[in-house]
Amino acid sequence: MTIKRLVAAMWLASASASVLAEQSFTVQDIQVEGLQRVALGAALNNLPFNIGDTVTEYTLSKSIKTLYAAGHFDEITVLRDGNAIIYRVKERPTINAVEFDGNKDIKEEQLQESLTNQKIIVGEQLDKTIIRELENGLTEFFHGVGKYNAKVEIKLTYLPRNRVNLKLEFKEGDAASVRQINIVGNELFSDEEIMKDIESMVDLPWWRFMSSDRYQKDTLKGDLEKIRSYYLDRGYLRFDIEANTVAVSPDKNSVYVTLQVKEGVQYNIKGIEFVGDLIGQDELIKAMLPLKDGQLYNGALVTYTEESIAKFLASFGYANSKVRTSTNINDDTKEVALSINVDPGKRVYVNRISVTGNSATKDEVIRREMRQMEGSWLSNDRLEMSKLFIQRLPYIEKVEFETKDVPGVDDKVDVTFKIKERPSGSFNAGVSFGSYQGLAFQFGVEQQSFLGSGNSAGISFNTNKYQKSVNLSFTDPYFTLDGVSLGGSVFYSDFDGSRAGLEAYNQKSYGTGVNFGYPLNDFNRLNFGANVVWNEINSIQEFDQIRHFRGVLIDSANPDAAYKFTNYELLAGWVMSTLNRGTFPTDGTYLGANIKVTTPNSDLTYFKTNFEARHYIPLSSDHGWSFLSKLELGYGNGYGDNNGYDHTLPFNDSFYAGGQNFRGFENRVIGPRAVYRQINAIPGLPDPMNGQSQGGLPTSANYDNYYVSRRSFGGNAMAIGTLELITPTPFLKEDYANSVRTSLFIDAGNVWDTEYDITRYSKLTQLSDAVVGYDQPGLLDYSDAGMMRASAGLTVQWISPMGPLTFSLAKILRKYEGDEQENFSFNIGTTF
């Protein structure tokens, strides 16, 4: 092509362009050179003229601006060939990939969101004019969090076919610390009083280990509001922070904050009036008002009053109410009149409630826990209550809800509950290991929400070196619509005490039972049940503490026969729970009390009571840190007598500690020791034939011997206390926060036998271990077995797809010399 005339070059919008002379002409052709990805039609559509139009230099200048504004080109040059216009363009490169390196304070998700807002998206064209703006914006962010040495550089790597890779390199450096905070103008309160609750701390005390002295602009802004609230809560209505300056040290590692304050004087409340619509609840709202005429003005109480009234109105369906308090300050009398303006707005009704995310659980199982109903007015209290009850189901991990306005209607909303389920069933296959118990195996199948129905059903079979058992159970928690539950079970067990670290005995038992529960209200429930259990015990080593048990059941015609007995058990319990979750709670209280009593027609008549209390206190707003205090108490005893022997709590139903309820100690190891009494004898007269003794003759009982076994037989009283600090699990994604729990614990307690008097042996001789055949010499003091034990350690729990898994690492703080301990345990199928 022969170019007749080259238009003089000019730069417009960061690129050079050749423009035409002043004269006008009629355009006969328009050409665009350099197009690769942009369609010709898309480029021509942005021109302010067409073929056949008359154009001037101004028209062509405007066309270049228009093409740049379309966002497709980095460079544009315009030429004239006769009456033909030629645009030579260079397209913007296409973003091939975006990479981040060195970012710590900003997560990649946040960076991706920021880049998307700036229209920096893989596959889209890159506008290089915003690169510098983006670098400056990110650098400003780091300055805002105290990293004044931070640098952000965006590097471009050009690829074939006009593509480009972006790499954002971050050199964050260390955050500046708050070296000093100076308050100027305060006379009424000291610096320490004003700053005791702020987050921008200097010289942090040891108990503020979760805080930081790192400077952050947003943190300082929040601290200024706390200081302002400190004065407003004490009546200083005219308090003001007149100036605040932040000076950065030359090395940019420290900042110095100076606040200029004006304290003013205190004001008392003089008159409180309501303006607006109180929905006919005037007297009740005024009665609940914490503000009183004549009292010192308190900003926190004013805010609390507004929130309380708004919450009260929301319980009647006025979800969008507005409550504002205006002040009329009289500086002469130092008084303030309060005017509380109440605008309830329209009452809002629930149009439809939907449930999402419940792939395994039926909708009706979720809906029966809801307290907010369709068609009724919207209540945030009932929504929160619904969330709480759904979240307490053991097969629900997380619950959130949201409300959306119904299009075209201003008084109706749709509510959506978003459910995240956890595995409702478990397939448990062996594991447990202890230094004394050794390796054990177990197998079980349990479904907490059978076929999504919310009913619990399961069959479990467990076998280890001391026990074989099988259990079939079923419970319908909503046997009736008002929450009455009904369930039943069938079970069998074969237990070998000697292999479990107890005194030698073998027990076989089987039975069946039925239970039902009745809700008193949303937080309290009564449970009742009845069992019939057939037992057979043999191979007992006859230690001294079971003489009552033998005396009640012994068959005088066959004293060596096994002990067979049948018990008819009645059970009753009470549960009060305000826990925020069914599994891994972090807030709320649980109280539970149970009693089991055998009926008078049972072979053994006794009762056994248990009490458990758990209280969770969240230590952080996201409940990642929480504190648990727990107490377990138990007591049992017999009633009535038989064969001249009083009934007692049978040793096979005793309380034990160790294992899951006392971490660090071997299972069932904590408790009173068995005492064996040996009759002392003197040699008989010599045989006249061989001179040997003809046998021993018993001496007085005062000359008997006894020894204390290393093995526990349990007790009739128990007390165990636990303090536990629940912490975020390191290196774990937030998505698994409700499935994995890490905690540091201290367990302390013991098991006692309140019916046995060891002082009866005070005048007898205790035999040493060597005499009775133990490997380790030394005497065992029975009274020492009653001392408090304690352990501390770390526990990690995980709700895995195959069932709950627990890992514990414990250190014994105090033990009895005969205690077996395991310091390490690993279990699948453990109940938390």
Side-chain angles (χ1 to χ4, degrees), residues 397 422 584 726-730 732-733 735-742 795-800:
E397 181 177 325
R422 68 170 81 250
F584 292 159
I726 300 166
T727 69
T729 304
L732 188 72
K733 292 184 178 179
D735 294 345
Y736 298 96
N738 293 329
S739 296
V740 180
R741 166 162 290 183
T742 301
T795 292
V796 179
Q797 299 167 296
W798 174 38
I799 305 294
S800 73

Side-chain angles (χ1 to χ4, degrees), residues 451-507:
L451 300 178
S453 65
N455 299 330
S456 175
I459 174 173
S460 62
F461 171 75
N462 295 289
T463 177
N464 51 45
K465 77 177 195 177
Y466 61 83
Q467 186 176 27
K468 297 178 179 63
S469 65
V470 62
N471 185 290
L472 290 85
S473 62
F474 180 86
T475 301
D476 182 354
Y478 276 84
F479 181 71
T480 65
L481 293 177
D482 54 1
V484 174
S485 63
L486 181 65
S489 63
V490 178
F491 50 87
Y492 170 81
S493 174
D494 187 347
F495 181 82
D496 187 341
S498 61
R499 288 177 173 266
L502 309 176
E503 288 304 300
Y505 75 94
N506 178 267
Q507 177 182 358

Side-chain angles (χ1 to χ4, degrees), residues 188-189 227-241 262-271 291 295-300 302-303 325-331 333-339:
L188 300 170
F189 303 100
I227 294 174
R228 193 182 310 276
S229 297
Y230 182 87
Y231 277 90
L232 290 178
D233 294 349
R234 288 158 178 79
Y236 295 91
L237 266 174
R238 295 296 192 189
F239 171 81
D240 187 29
I241 299 177
K262 180 181 179 181
E263 293 179 316
V265 297
Q266 291 177 308
Y267 288 77
N268 291 316
I269 297 175
K270 181 63 175 180
L291 296 170
Q295 75 181 53
L296 196 67
Y297 178 87
N298 187 312
V302 171
T303 301
T325 302
S326 59
T327 58
N328 184 9
I329 302 174
N330 188 328
D331 291 316
T333 62
K334 302 300 182 291
E335 293 174 329
V336 55
L338 302 181
S339 179

